Amino acid sequence: DKVCVLSSFRHARIPFHKVNISIIMFDFRENILLTQLQIGNLPRLTRKLDTIQDQTTDSRQCMACSYISVSLPGPVRRHKDRAQNNATTNISPRTQANLRLRLVDMSNSEQALDSTNEAVNKASNEATNPSFAPQHILVTGGAGFIGANFVHWVARNHPQAHMTVLDALTYAGKRENLDGVPAANLTFVHGNICDAELVESLFSGLNQRSAAAVPPIDAIVHFAAESHNDNSILDASPFLNTNVTGTYVLLEAARRHDIRFHDISTDEVYGDLALDEQRKFTELSPYKPSSPYSASKAASDHLVRAWHRTHGLKTTISNCSNNYGPYQHVEKFIPRQITNILAGIRPKLYGQGLAVRDWISVEDHCSAIWTILTRGRIGETYLVGANGEYNNIDVLRMILKLMGRDANDFDHVNDRPGGDKRYAIDATKLQTELGWVPKYTDFKEGLAATIDWYRAHESWWMPDKAGTEEKYRKQGH
Ligand code: NAD
Ligand code: DAU
């Protein structure tokens, strides 16, 4: 992965100066696109190679630069493997020599960069954290929907990391959500994040299975929360306890032990957008939460920011849009409709169903969290989204169609008091700064897979179904 290859073409019958060139830096180990730069034609490429390195903020990214793609106008096949031979086809000897020279230069300067890398990073930006490789992560709320998906994802993709899950197993958490995670990767602790003594014991090693086998906790990824808006309207107190006090307890422990802290937040802290505007949320959007749930998450974010600024805690925050996928509680919109249909209950749409949510696969959220945890800049916030805006009625009709039902086979029920109209994420910062890209961008395909999962896991969701529907009935939903 330190090799730089010139990708080329066969049967090219066009002058080389008309070829468009872009530099793609792809990290094959992490499977992410690092940088994509449009260069223009070959002479410009040779002029620009130096500048490209200058533009790459993290010089270590250059080490992962894997190939230069040459794209041709028209239907020309590109063959990476034949690169070295065919690259010479239409290039004048002078240009070839020049190009070879520049590539050699680039590789030499990579070596030079390697040695100065650490010093440069340190001096230029103390906040940059390009190479954090967590050994042992405390995952709070790891038995809930996104937390459990994250634990499975890390165990699959970064099996060197150990995880301790701390979860109170509220109505939303199930120990069985972690079934299948290799025992070597996981310690499960049943407990509350508000329990300061218990939290402290995790860091002082009392609760670690074997001090010899498991390194000390070096990062916290904080998912634990009361997460459902409708519940927060009925009773906000558990939201204040877990989402505010619980975050405070964890921040204090992280401060005492100087632990890297990543906070899982929500786009709801920014309030909502109008249905008829183009604007999306960015990291600069003002905080304007609408519900007791989102207000408690905003408070949590503010604590995290304050602990960074005042105490120098190494924090990052991600604010993500609506997730879908396996293990989501049947109280949430998509699982509720799917399981209603499976249980012979008519789906329920709040109001006219015109509210818009920006859907993202939970897998993509997990890869974004890992990217931010390991390479995000300390003290920064990153918005996570995958351009999946749909209004509720369209989503419901997609589910009905995918499940072979009539598209109008649902009931309109009371809207949520103060319900947010539209969420939409601009994830440019995460994409350009850290090179994260979502993988699962076909929402319909993702919905179909989610339907299959609930079909195949009736014993997982059925015990919660009747109680959830009864609660909704009382709320007029
Ligand atoms: P969830 O309700 O499915 O899971 C929450 C988990 O936290 C459960 O396992 C629960 O037992 C645990 N928990 C609750 N209170 C606890 C406490 N006091 N101590 C220890 N554990 C406790 O939630 P989710 O949908 O997986 O959301 C996880 C996080 O992601 C939340 O912080 C939420 O605000 C955020 N988020 C969710 C979404 C989404 O679409 N679901 C989107 C963006 C951000
Ligand atoms: O945007 C991120 C947020 O997404 C997270 O912070 C929350 O934890 C998560 O619950 C989710 O919040 P929402 O309120 O957007 O999700 P929910 O699934 O509750 O509702 C989505 C939309 O669907 C909302 O406009 C209300 C509507 N709805 C919901 C239910 C449960 C219905 O129309 N019918 C329903 O039965």
Side-chain angles (χ1 to χ4, degrees):
D1 58 321
K2 292 182 185 171
V3 177
C4 204
V5 179
L6 174 66
S7 165
S8 180
F9 48 88
R10 295 170 76 200
H11 315 306
R13 300 196 197 293
I14 56 162
F16 200 83
H17 68 270
K18 286 199 179 156
V19 170
N20 278 318
I21 297 171
S22 53
I23 301 280
I24 297 171
M25 296 187 193
F26 195 86
D27 184 335
F28 287 100
R29 283 162 306 183
E30 297 288 334
N31 203 24
I32 50 168
L33 181 67
L34 297 171
T35 307
Q36 186 161 7
L37 294 169
Q38 294 291 335
I39 302 301
N41 58 23
L42 185 70
R44 287 175 95 199
L45 166 68
T46 54
R47 274 201 307 274
K48 275 211 166 177
L49 278 174
D50 292 332
T51 348
I52 289 157
Q53 288 192 29
D54 293 343
Q55 282 171 5
T56 311
T57 49
D58 174 4
S59 52
R60 207 166 299 186
Q61 289 184 0
C62 276
M63 302 300 292
C65 168
S66 288
Y67 79 92
I68 299 173
S69 120
V70 180
S71 64
L72 299 170
V76 183
R77 288 163 59 197
R78 275 174 277 157
H79 287 268
K80 190 170 73 165
D81 296 335
R82 297 198 177 91
Q84 300 295 7
N85 297 334
N86 295 319
T88 57
T89 313
N90 279 352
I91 314 173
S92 74
R94 203 168 133 225
T95 310
Q96 282 173 36
N98 194 4
L99 186 62
R100 247 185 253 120
L101 195 66
R102 306 304 283 193
L103 290 173
V104 168
D105 274 358
M106 192 169 175
S107 113
N108 287 342
S109 53
E110 274 176 6
Q111 279 161 24
L113 277 169
D114 196 24
S115 60
T116 53
N117 197 19
E118 232 163 84
V120 170
N121 275 335
K122 222 175 183 177
S124 66
N125 189 354
E126 284 238 332
T128 303
N129 183 21
S131 58
F132 177 55
Q135 304 281 301
H136 184 171
I137 308 168
L138 174 63
V139 182
T140 71
F145 164 45
I146 307 175
N149 276 284
F150 180 74
V151 172
H152 284 282
W153 188 92
V154 173
R156 271 198 316 274
N157 293 286
H158 301 280
Q160 74 286 356
H162 190 83
M163 287 166 283
T164 288
V165 167
L166 172 61
D167 199 298
L169 299 181
T170 66
Y171 78 96
K174 290 186 204 291
R175 175 64 182 85
E176 71 195 78
N177 291 356
L178 299 170
D179 287 355
V181 177
N185 288 107
L186 182 66
T187 304
F188 183 80
V189 178
H190 181 194
N192 198 310
I193 57 167
C194 300
D195 182 343
E197 215 174 293
L198 170 65
V199 169
E200 177 58 27
S201 75
L202 299 176
F203 293 97
S204 46
L206 296 180
N207 258 309
Q208 288 183 21
R209 276 187 320 176
S210 146
V214 181
I217 291 167
D218 54 2
I220 300 177
V221 179
H222 176 33
F223 293 92
E226 286 292 336
S227 68
H228 193 39
N229 278 296
D230 291 320
N231 292 344
S232 77
I233 296 168
L234 285 178
D235 177 11
S237 67
F239 289 76
L240 296 176
N241 289 335
T242 292
N243 301 2
V244 185
T245 307
T247 300
Y248 159 71
V249 167
L250 293 167
L251 285 169
E252 278 295 86
R255 177 162 82 95
R256 279 193 297 276
H257 298 276
D258 190 22
I259 305 287
R260 173 83 172 81
F261 191 98
H262 180 68
D263 185 47
I264 306 297
S265 189
T266 168
D267 57 356
E268 293 198 20
V269 298
Y270 302 117
D272 63 357
L273 300 158
L275 292 178
D276 59 356
E277 66 177 328
Q278 293 295 311
R279 202 162 54 93
K280 297 184 173 199
F281 295 134
T282 72
E283 288 78 7
L284 299 176
S285 298
Y287 273 57
K288 207 161 139 293
S290 318
S291 74
Y293 160 67
S294 47
S296 69
K297 290 296 289 186
S300 173
D301 288 10
H302 289 315
L303 292 178
V304 175
R305 286 166 178 231
W307 259 245
H308 168 66
R309 170 143 180 176
T310 302
H311 299 300
L313 191 67
K314 294 189 214 87
T315 61
T316 40
I317 303 177
S318 53
N319 297 78
C320 187
S321 56
N322 288 61
N323 287 218
Y324 67 88
Y327 303 114
Q328 190 169 30
H329 195 275
V330 291
E331 68 190 355
K332 303 287 172 22
F333 178 57
I334 288 177
R336 184 182 186 203
Q337 312 313 332
I338 295 171
T339 55
N340 272 11
I341 295 168
L342 293 174
I345 305 167
R346 279 165 70 83
K348 310 290 182 207
L349 188 68
Y350 290 7
Q352 293 309 303
L354 299 180
V356 171
R357 293 295 182 264
D358 190 352
W359 294 99
I360 179 172
S361 147
V362 68
E363 285 274 305
D364 281 333
H365 187 189
C366 292
S367 70
I369 294 166
W370 182 264
T371 301
I372 299 164
L373 175 68
T374 55
R375 295 192 295 113
R377 279 187 299 137
I378 298 302
E380 291 291 312
T381 289
Y382 295 90
L383 261 54
V384 184
N387 294 321
E389 278 189 73
Y390 292 92
N391 66 26
N392 295 338
I393 193 165
D394 286 348
V395 173
L396 178 52
R397 289 197 160 128
M398 271 187 230
I399 294 172
L400 283 159
K401 264 178 114 177
L402 285 166
M403 296 182 76
R405 299 301 170 104
D406 187 292
N408 292 316
D409 198 5
F410 62 86
D411 296 331
H412 290 277
V413 292
N414 286 349
D415 211 342
R416 181 180 283 164
D420 282 334
K421 297 277 178 287
R422 172 177 162 250
Y423 305 143
I425 293 279
D426 177 347
T428 304
K429 179 176 172 182
L430 176 60
Q431 297 202 325
T432 55
E433 200 178 282
L434 303 183
W436 173 83
V437 275
K439 233 170 151 179
Y440 304 95
T441 47
D442 186 333
F443 179 57
K444 208 166 161 194
E445 218 173 76
L447 267 186
T450 307
I451 292 168
D452 287 346
W453 190 88
Y454 282 89
R455 237 193 252 286
H457 292 81
E458 191 177 297
S459 62
W460 181 88
W461 56 264
M462 193 54 103
D464 299 324
K465 189 66 188 166
T468 304
E469 286 306 307
E470 179 54 17
K471 200 159 153 192
Y472 274 136
R473 199 187 55 74
K474 288 188 185 146
Q475 275 183 288
H477 292 324

